[in-house]
Amino acid sequence: FACIREAADKGAYYDAILLDVDDGPTSLIQQRNSRIYGRDGLTMIKQALNAGGRAAFWAATDEPRLLLHLQRAGFAAVEIPVAAHPRAKRPRHRIYVAEKRG
């Protein structure tokens, strides 16, 4: 969080930010991580990215509100289903990719 905030304060800095900090915004490992997924956190992530940069969020399951929040924050966002391992019968996990337009 501190690294992202520092980059956001300096202006666009990163081409990519990869986040695997919780099981998802509805299943936080630490409550303070909720600040990442809120409007201010998403705005901060957007400010830390270069134009065309991407942020990816891993989630244990589908998080439709995260996809909506990313889109409302101005990202072009998609949800990618992923399997836990190569022999998994179905893709249970999700990766949300948010691209900074511009």
Side-chain angles (χ1 to χ4, degrees), residues 36-70:
I36 294 169
Y37 305 104
R39 184 180 54 173
D40 292 342
L42 296 177
T43 297
M44 180 182 65
I45 289 169
K46 189 174 175 184
Q47 291 171 341
L49 288 169
N50 291 316
R54 295 180 179 166
F57 302 79
W58 178 87
T61 188
D62 63 324
E63 296 279 355
R65 292 186 70 201
L66 176 57
L67 184 62
L68 179 63
H69 290 166
L70 289 167

Side-chain angles (χ1 to χ4, degrees), residues 18-39:
L18 308 174
L19 296 165
D20 180 4
V21 296
D22 296 298
D23 287 338
T26 59
S27 300
L28 299 172
I29 302 300
Q30 295 183 31
Q31 187 58 41
R32 70 182 183 171
N33 289 344
S34 65
R35 61 190 174 168
I36 294 169
Y37 305 104
R39 184 180 54 173

Side-chain angles (χ1 to χ4, degrees), residues 86-100:
R87 288 189 229 150
K89 293 183 180 183
R90 61 183 172 90
R92 195 180 95 210
H93 304 301
R94 300 290 189 271
I95 297 175
Y96 292 88
V97 180
E99 182 176 347
K100 180 178 179 178

